[in-house]
Amino acid sequence: MKFNVGCELNYSVSSDSIFVFNIAPIRNNHQTILEEKLLITPNLPHEDYVIPNFNSQYFRIQCPAGELAISYQATVESFPMQVDSELLYEVPPAKLPIETLPYLNPSRYCQSDRLSRLTQYEFGNLAPGYSRVTAICNWIYENVAYLSGSTDAQTSAFDTVTERAGVCRDFAHLGIAFCRALNIPARFVSNYSYALYPPDFHAVFEAYLGDRWYLFDPTRLAPIEGLIRIGAGRDAADAAFATIWGSAILQNMKVYADCLDPQPPIHTTKAIANTSN
Amino acid sequence: MKFNVGCELNYSVSSDSIFVFNIAPIRNNHQTILEEKLLITPNLPHEDYVIPNFNSQYFRIQCPAGELAISYQATVESFPMQVDSELLYEVPPAKLPIETLPYLNPSRYCQSDRLSRLTQYEFGNLAPGYSRVTAICNWIYENVAYLSGSTDAQTSAFDTVTERAGVCRDFAHLGIAFCRALNIPARFVSNYSYALYPPDFHAVFEAYLGDRWYLFDPTRLAPIEGLIRIGAGRDAADAAFATIWGSAILQNMKVYADCLDPQPPIHTTKAIANTSN
Amino acid sequence: MKFNVGCELNYSVSSDSIFVFNIAPIRNNHQTILEEKLLITPNLPHEDYVIPNFNSQYFRIQCPAGELAISYQATVESFPMQVDSELLYEVPPAKLPIETLPYLNPSRYCQSDRLSRLTQYEFGNLAPGYSRVTAICNWIYENVAYLSGSTDAQTSAFDTVTERAGVCRDFAHLGIAFCRALNIPARFVSNYSYALYPPDFHAVFEAYLGDRWYLFDPTRLAPIEGLIRIGAGRDAADAAFATIWGSAILQNMKVYADCLDPQPPIHTTKAIANTSN
Amino acid sequence: MKFNVGCELNYSVSSDSIFVFNIAPIRNNHQTILEEKLLITPNLPHEDYVIPNFNSQYFRIQCPAGELAISYQATVESFPMQVDSELLYEVPPAKLPIETLPYLNPSRYCQSDRLSRLTQYEFGNLAPGYSRVTAICNWIYENVAYLSGSTDAQTSAFDTVTERAGVCRDFAHLGIAFCRALNIPARFVSNYSYALYPPDFHAVFEAYLGDRWYLFDPTRLAPIEGLIRIGAGRDAADAAFATIWGSAILQNMKVYADCLDPQPPIHTTKAIANTSN
């Protein structure tokens, strides 16, 4: 499936600042970048890199005071794997691949250690497998209000499980925390998302089931097949679209993800994966 | 119903210290103190007082370094009011007596402001009245593990609602927070408790329904009719059995509450009140 | 000293709602209300009352959907007591009046129990007395940024002592928490304030020293003599200018406090009290 | 310098459990394992692995109900790098190696995002470099009490900075949070430690300065040169000596680290590094 994705970011920079952007879709065997354009105004050099274990692509810019405009656009072909979700079992700790173990640890926004008893009460008696992670997503959808502006950059799963309001990032954090509390490795994924209104970057989470990472979106705001993967990490702290040192204000932001295929993605009950590591 | 209640408290005091004790049952038209003995060793003077709006009886002792032994015993006759709980409605904010309004405010251990949305999800659709407070108690009983030693003096309702473990004090705090989030005035009550194992002071909560305060015990550990009321306040911060300035260690503590009637209290579905203010 | 104080509050009410306002200055032997006007539009009945131990004056209104305008104005003569602050000692727990003891307890926004060690590190070695509370105010002024919009209704002293930003309410909460951790009773006071820019209700705190409550304002935003006292309580939870049940939005708010004397209040190093209980 | 290090861990296992141990010193060009013995009783198979970016060595055991005894012993030669600390500068974000950037992110126990303003107040005006991280260590040493049993597995830097008590793990977490808030990458390191009383595993932290990671120990409990490095990670969540799924109780634990050289390590003012990644 082909997508035209991208973003326009306009900053007002009041003193020499460093920006690290994570806005380019990753390249892997489920996502091909057919064409991509990055326009930086003024015309500043950028340093590209990938943090290996995050499998995310970053670029770093040093920008003097003034205006900074980032225009990124890419044509992406995605080949998500679709699996019959009933086949997907939870992997016991004795068999989990070693590189998934850190995703069982609590993190800044996903304090799974503090949610373990609640998780047992709510999900401990459910049959293990993909359906249990779906039950987690359903719980979040039914018990947490999606409310723009209700949370901020400090809000964590421990807050959200009680305060019951948040945005996609908070929904993902809570899903991750519940999974980890059940010994299911889980991580945060940032994306372009087809058919998301209002358009924005979109956060979902991934749980390790069977032999790979599968995507889950407790917000139900957009079809999972319409996600174009950008970055991943333990939680939002690892996957910001922009990290800034210095002094800059985001004045304007436009994000888009259009489907170029005649048949756009629709909601599905299949399990969907778009990475192999 | 007559009870023999009391406690023995032994402190090792390492420097001149002030103690304020709140261990004597209150005197009101539902509780009569037939006889009481207070023995302080060494024989120190004590200053007695009542904080009017708390309706609790305190005594203050100044004690030099050494040993301090407090032995308190009373014979109490209690006349709790029993009411058919189906008659008890929630009072709308427009009609609540003014002196109950502070018990709608969040307090140190009962952050009702942070639980409001969760409370709506869990209890917002239930019919108002005594039965809704009972539903709160049932929820706590079913979703929080009673575990000695699982919490400490800093644990609050905001913690317990997620960590799902605690003791009577934590159960009461959570009940209070839920009630306040539903605009039901609620407060903390400390007690002697018949048939509590292991014997100890016991914490329950009170909610204002109809025209007075009714007792609720989400722990289900002892019959409510077997409670002999000591103190009340916004939360445990207001109703400690001992507050100490200085340096002292509680070496030993014995609490008892024996029923002197042939027919001891049993669990009941009636609503029970033992104060008129 | 005479002041003309008042406020205009305009609400848009979307369903039948209850309002409790606490906007009238208290009447005591340090404050005389020479004249006062309350205009409620539409012309709704209001129920007046005082919560005794808070010594605050409230009125309650039931308002149907529509617009609600409150216009309150008063001419107040204030006679604050001025004392040489060097004479003001801290009262040892053995001698504190009983009614001050609850103001040593931690409360929702003033978790003195969690700040006790920090308080000892910062203020434990200072000479007790008024000057120690002044040192607390200086610490807050020097270590916390006054930043409108940096905090919300859930922010507490435990947050502020680390996050180091807030408004008058947060400054007062932190001062209260530090005092209580030093065994100095402290409470929250809401006020009209002469020479506050931008004009608004103003929060300060009171500490019990010598034989009464003295006012402290760690924000240094306005002279303490220019405060016209409205309400008091354990923290902001007890002293909101408006508590609302129902559904209403504050559309507009204007607060004023003009001095009618030729010599307006100035900053002073005297200790100032304006209540005797 | 040569050390004899090791541990004896005795577990009572009540149901089939999985253990992941991280007790073997890492092998790198600053640490050579001359000889090592691992004895598992009963004689269970163990699966060894290294998580690449953590550079820690783990082994995983599946153990049935019963007793489990782990005896690990190694002779280690360490070649820590000693550098004149005055030469060590802070690396600006524009120049930090990409693999250090995740160590600027807040983590479960090191909420640097919530400490940024406090950090600026305390350390923002100090000259950047090794000496500033030393100032952080001094602050922790002087302002936080080292108190066994004062904290638990949930205690984080945000708690410790106010509650001012903790153990080595808490001291390390606070140091890490302060460093990250100053844009200095910092991480948690677990160790065997010569001359630590009582003997135990020891937690310190590392900050990235100049061109590598340097060790810091705010507890001052043992000489840094006497550390034998085991694991590293974002915080204690990544570097537990044992992670257990199932049901097991640690019955007994003995840890030792003896120096085999005639001249044992002493406290030094040199900067010390023992890893190159």
Side-chain angles (χ1 to χ4, degrees):
Chain A
M1 216 171 266
K2 275 190 208 164
F3 296 91
N4 177 45
V5 303
C7 62
E8 316 275 340
L9 307 170
N10 293 277
Y11 290 92
S12 160
V13 183
S14 53
S15 69
D16 200 56
S17 298
I18 305 297
F19 293 76
V20 173
F21 290 102
N22 179 208
I23 56 178
I26 59 160
R27 293 143 194 274
N28 68 20
N29 54 351
H30 294 282
Q31 266 187 194
T32 306
I33 310 298
L34 302 179
E35 166 264 338
E36 112 184 295
K37 274 194 222 88
L38 172 62
L39 191 65
I40 303 170
T41 313
N43 188 12
L44 298 163
H46 59 97
E47 179 194 3
D48 291 18
Y49 57 85
V50 170
I51 297 189
N53 54 306
F54 283 7
N55 203 16
S56 299
Q57 185 166 328
Y58 300 86
F59 62 92
R60 177 158 58 182
I61 295 175
Q62 185 156 7
C63 178
E67 301 293 312
L68 173 66
I70 302 292
S71 172
Y72 176 83
Q73 179 273 331
T75 309
V76 183
E77 186 151 18
S78 80
F79 314 92
M81 201 172 93
Q82 290 209 357
V83 180
D84 186 348
S85 63
E86 288 168 26
L87 305 175
L88 296 176
Y89 49 90
E90 293 176 19
V91 185
K95 303 289 183 199
L96 279 171
I98 57 166
E99 66 274 12
T100 66
L101 293 184
Y103 295 102
L104 291 177
N105 293 344
S107 62
R108 169 66 181 89
Y109 299 111
C110 307
Q111 304 97 327
S112 44
D113 55 320
R114 302 192 71 183
L115 274 73
S116 65
R117 206 176 292 271
L118 181 155
T119 304
Q120 284 304 316
Y121 273 105
E122 295 289 346
F123 310 107
N125 292 324
L126 300 183
Y130 186 93
S131 61
R132 181 146 74 162
V133 184
T134 299
I136 285 172
C137 292
N138 292 346
W139 190 98
I140 295 171
Y141 181 80
E142 286 157 15
N143 288 284
V144 182
Y146 193 97
L147 271 182
S148 293
S150 59
T151 53
D152 62 26
Q154 297 193 345
T155 306
S156 68
F158 188 74
D159 301 316
T160 303
V161 76
T162 296
E163 299 187 346
R164 299 289 179 90
V167 296
C168 59
R169 154 196 170 110
D170 305 299
F171 279 51
H173 285 154
L174 187 50
I176 293 167
F178 281 143
C179 285
R180 292 180 188 166
L182 290 170
N183 295 323
I184 304 171
R187 66 187 183 188
F188 188 91
V189 185
S190 63
N191 307 275
Y192 289 100
S193 172
Y194 168 76
L196 182 70
Y197 298 101
D200 202 341
F201 293 110
H202 192 43
V204 305
F205 75 94
E206 260 177 349
Y208 192 88
L209 296 166
D211 66 347
R212 71 183 58 228
W213 294 96
Y214 288 90
L215 292 157
F216 292 88
D217 183 358
T219 71
R220 299 189 193 171
L221 287 178
I224 287 176
E225 265 200 302
L227 295 173
I228 294 86
R229 183 185 192 90
I230 302 173
R234 297 195 183 188
D235 58 28
D238 286 348
F241 71 86
T243 307
I244 304 170
W245 293 271
S247 181
I249 292 168
L250 180 60
Q251 299 287 10
N252 206 40
M253 168 164 153
K254 187 188 155 196
V255 180
Y256 54 91
D258 305 316
C259 185
L260 304 176
D261 276 15
Q263 270 196 303
I266 53 168
H267 284 278
T268 172
T269 58
K270 293 275 184 180
I272 294 184
N274 64 10
T275 183
S276 53
N277 69 327
Chain B
M1 216 170 264
K2 275 191 209 162
F3 297 91
N4 177 44
V5 304
C7 63
E8 314 275 341
L9 306 170
N10 294 276
Y11 292 92
S12 162
V13 182
S14 53
S15 68
D16 201 55
S17 297
I18 305 298
F19 294 75
V20 173
F21 290 102
N22 179 209
I23 56 178
I26 59 160
R27 292 143 194 271
N28 66 22
N29 54 351
H30 295 281
Q31 267 188 191
T32 305
I33 310 299
L34 302 178
E35 166 263 339
E36 104 183 303
K37 275 196 222 85
L38 171 63
L39 192 66
I40 302 169
T41 313
N43 188 11
L44 297 165
H46 59 96
E47 179 194 1
D48 291 18
Y49 57 87
V50 170
I51 297 189
N53 53 306
F54 284 8
N55 202 14
S56 299
Q57 185 167 328
Y58 300 86
F59 61 93
R60 176 158 59 182
I61 295 174
Q62 184 157 9
C63 179
E67 301 292 312
L68 172 66
I70 302 292
S71 173
Y72 176 83
Q73 180 271 330
T75 309
V76 182
E77 185 150 18
S78 79
F79 314 94
M81 201 173 93
Q82 290 209 358
V83 180
D84 187 347
S85 63
E86 289 169 27
L87 304 176
L88 295 175
Y89 49 91
E90 294 176 17
V91 185
K95 303 289 182 198
L96 280 171
I98 57 167
E99 65 274 13
T100 66
L101 293 184
Y103 296 102
L104 292 176
N105 292 344
S107 63
R108 168 68 180 89
Y109 299 111
C110 307
Q111 305 95 327
S112 43
D113 55 321
R114 302 192 71 184
L115 274 73
S116 65
R117 206 176 291 271
L118 181 155
T119 305
Q120 284 304 319
Y121 272 105
E122 296 290 345
F123 309 108
N125 292 323
L126 301 183
Y130 187 93
S131 60
R132 183 147 73 160
V133 183
T134 299
I136 285 172
C137 292
N138 292 347
W139 189 98
I140 296 170
Y141 181 80
E142 285 157 16
N143 287 284
V144 183
Y146 194 97
L147 271 182
S148 293
S150 59
T151 53
D152 63 26
Q154 297 193 345
T155 305
S156 68
F158 188 75
D159 301 317
T160 304
V161 76
T162 297
E163 299 186 348
R164 300 290 179 90
V167 296
C168 60
R169 154 196 170 108
D170 305 300
F171 279 51
H173 285 154
L174 188 49
I176 293 167
F178 281 144
C179 285
R180 291 180 187 167
L182 291 169
N183 296 324
I184 304 170
R187 64 188 186 188
F188 187 92
V189 185
S190 64
N191 308 275
Y192 291 99
S193 171
Y194 167 76
L196 182 70
Y197 297 102
D200 201 341
F201 293 110
H202 191 43
V204 304
F205 76 94
E206 259 176 351
Y208 192 89
L209 295 166
D211 66 347
R212 71 184 59 229
W213 294 97
Y214 288 90
L215 292 157
F216 292 88
D217 182 358
T219 70
R220 298 187 192 172
L221 287 177
I224 287 175
E225 266 201 301
L227 295 173
I228 294 86
R229 183 185 192 91
I230 301 172
R234 297 198 183 184
D235 58 29
D238 286 346
F241 71 87
T243 306
I244 304 170
W245 294 271
S247 181
I249 292 166
L250 180 60
Q251 299 287 9
N252 206 40
M253 167 165 154
K254 187 187 156 197
V255 181
Y256 53 91
D258 305 316
C259 185
L260 305 177
D261 276 16
Q263 269 197 302
I266 54 168
H267 285 276
T268 172
T269 58
K270 292 273 185 183
I272 293 183
N274 65 9
T275 184
S276 53
N277 67 329
Chain C
M1 218 170 263
K2 275 191 208 162
F3 296 91
N4 177 46
V5 304
C7 62
E8 315 275 342
L9 307 170
N10 294 278
Y11 291 92
S12 160
V13 182
S14 53
S15 69
D16 201 57
S17 298
I18 306 298
F19 294 76
V20 173
F21 290 102
N22 180 208
I23 56 178
I26 59 160
R27 291 144 194 272
N28 67 20
N29 53 352
H30 295 282
Q31 267 187 194
T32 305
I33 311 298
L34 302 178
E35 167 262 339
E36 109 184 299
K37 276 196 220 85
L38 172 63
L39 192 65
I40 302 171
T41 313
N43 187 12
L44 298 164
H46 58 97
E47 180 194 2
D48 290 19
Y49 57 86
V50 169
I51 297 189
N53 53 305
F54 283 8
N55 202 14
S56 299
Q57 185 167 328
Y58 300 86
F59 61 92
R60 176 158 59 182
I61 296 175
Q62 184 156 7
C63 180
E67 302 292 311
L68 173 65
I70 302 291
S71 173
Y72 176 83
Q73 180 272 331
T75 309
V76 183
E77 185 150 19
S78 80
F79 314 92
M81 202 174 92
Q82 290 209 358
V83 180
D84 186 348
S85 64
E86 288 169 27
L87 304 175
L88 296 175
Y89 49 90
E90 293 177 18
V91 185
K95 303 290 183 198
L96 279 171
I98 57 166
E99 65 273 15
T100 66
L101 293 183
Y103 296 103
L104 291 176
N105 293 345
S107 62
R108 168 67 181 90
Y109 299 111
C110 307
Q111 304 97 327
S112 44
D113 56 319
R114 302 191 71 183
L115 274 72
S116 65
R117 206 176 290 272
L118 181 156
T119 304
Q120 284 304 317
Y121 273 105
E122 296 288 346
F123 310 108
N125 292 324
L126 300 183
Y130 187 94
S131 61
R132 181 146 75 161
V133 184
T134 299
I136 285 173
C137 292
N138 292 347
W139 189 98
I140 295 171
Y141 181 81
E142 285 157 15
N143 288 284
V144 182
Y146 193 98
L147 271 182
S148 292
S150 59
T151 53
D152 62 26
Q154 297 194 344
T155 305
S156 68
F158 188 75
D159 302 316
T160 304
V161 76
T162 297
E163 300 187 348
R164 299 290 179 90
V167 296
C168 60
R169 155 195 168 109
D170 306 299
F171 279 51
H173 285 155
L174 188 49
I176 293 167
F178 281 143
C179 284
R180 291 181 188 166
L182 290 170
N183 296 323
I184 304 170
R187 65 187 183 188
F188 187 91
V189 185
S190 63
N191 308 275
Y192 290 99
S193 173
Y194 167 76
L196 182 70
Y197 297 102
D200 202 343
F201 293 110
H202 191 43
V204 304
F205 76 93
E206 260 177 349
Y208 193 88
L209 296 165
D211 66 348
R212 69 182 60 228
W213 293 97
Y214 289 91
L215 293 157
F216 292 88
D217 182 359
T219 70
R220 298 188 192 170
L221 287 178
I224 287 176
E225 265 201 300
L227 296 173
I228 293 87
R229 184 185 190 90
I230 302 173
R234 297 197 183 185
D235 58 28
D238 286 346
F241 71 86
T243 307
I244 303 171
W245 294 271
S247 180
I249 292 167
L250 180 59
Q251 298 287 10
N252 206 42
M253 168 164 152
K254 187 187 154 195
V255 181
Y256 53 91
D258 305 315
C259 185
L260 304 176
D261 276 16
Q263 268 197 302
I266 53 168
H267 285 277
T268 170
T269 58
K270 293 275 184 181
I272 293 185
N274 64 9
T275 183
S276 53
N277 69 328
Chain D
M1 217 171 265
K2 273 190 209 164
F3 297 91
N4 177 44
V5 304
C7 62
E8 314 275 340
L9 306 169
N10 294 277
Y11 291 93
S12 162
V13 182
S14 52
S15 68
D16 199 56
S17 297
I18 306 298
F19 293 76
V20 172
F21 290 103
N22 179 210
I23 56 178
I26 60 161
R27 294 143 193 272
N28 67 22
N29 53 350
H30 295 281
Q31 266 187 194
T32 304
I33 311 299
L34 302 177
E35 165 262 341
E36 109 184 298
K37 275 196 222 86
L38 172 64
L39 193 65
I40 302 169
T41 314
N43 187 11
L44 298 164
H46 59 97
E47 179 194 3
D48 291 18
Y49 57 87
V50 169
I51 296 189
N53 54 307
F54 285 6
N55 203 15
S56 299
Q57 185 167 328
Y58 300 86
F59 62 92
R60 176 157 61 180
I61 296 175
Q62 184 156 8
C63 179
E67 302 291 312
L68 172 66
I70 302 292
S71 173
Y72 177 84
Q73 179 274 330
T75 309
V76 182
E77 185 150 19
S78 79
F79 314 93
M81 201 172 94
Q82 290 209 357
V83 180
D84 187 347
S85 63
E86 288 168 27
L87 304 175
L88 295 175
Y89 49 90
E90 293 177 18
V91 185
K95 302 290 182 199
L96 279 171
I98 57 167
E99 65 274 13
T100 66
L101 292 185
Y103 296 103
L104 291 177
N105 293 344
S107 63
R108 169 66 182 89
Y109 299 111
C110 307
Q111 304 97 327
S112 44
D113 56 320
R114 301 192 71 183
L115 275 72
S116 65
R117 207 176 292 270
L118 182 155
T119 305
Q120 284 304 319
Y121 272 104
E122 296 290 346
F123 310 109
N125 293 323
L126 300 183
Y130 187 93
S131 61
R132 181 145 76 160
V133 183
T134 300
I136 285 172
C137 292
N138 292 347
W139 189 98
I140 296 171
Y141 181 80
E142 286 156 16
N143 288 285
V144 183
Y146 194 98
L147 271 183
S148 293
S150 59
T151 53
D152 62 27
Q154 297 194 345
T155 306
S156 67
F158 188 75
D159 302 317
T160 304
V161 76
T162 297
E163 300 186 346
R164 299 289 180 90
V167 297
C168 60
R169 152 196 171 109
D170 305 300
F171 279 51
H173 285 155
L174 188 49
I176 293 167
F178 281 144
C179 284
R180 291 181 188 166
L182 291 169
N183 296 323
I184 304 170
R187 65 188 186 188
F188 188 91
V189 185
S190 64
N191 307 277
Y192 291 99
S193 171
Y194 167 76
L196 182 70
Y197 297 101
D200 201 342
F201 294 110
H202 191 43
V204 304
F205 76 94
E206 259 177 351
Y208 193 88
L209 295 166
D211 66 347
R212 72 183 57 227
W213 294 96
Y214 288 89
L215 293 156
F216 292 88
D217 182 358
T219 71
R220 299 189 192 171
L221 287 176
I224 287 176
E225 266 201 301
L227 295 173
I228 294 86
R229 182 185 192 90
I230 302 173
R234 296 197 184 186
D235 58 29
D238 287 345
F241 72 86
T243 306
I244 305 170
W245 293 272
S247 181
I249 292 167
L250 180 59
Q251 299 287 9
N252 206 40
M253 168 164 152
K254 187 188 156 196
V255 181
Y256 53 91
D258 305 316
C259 184
L260 304 177
D261 276 16
Q263 269 197 303
I266 54 168
H267 284 277
T268 171
T269 58
K270 292 274 186 182
I272 293 184
N274 65 9
T275 183
S276 53
N277 67 329

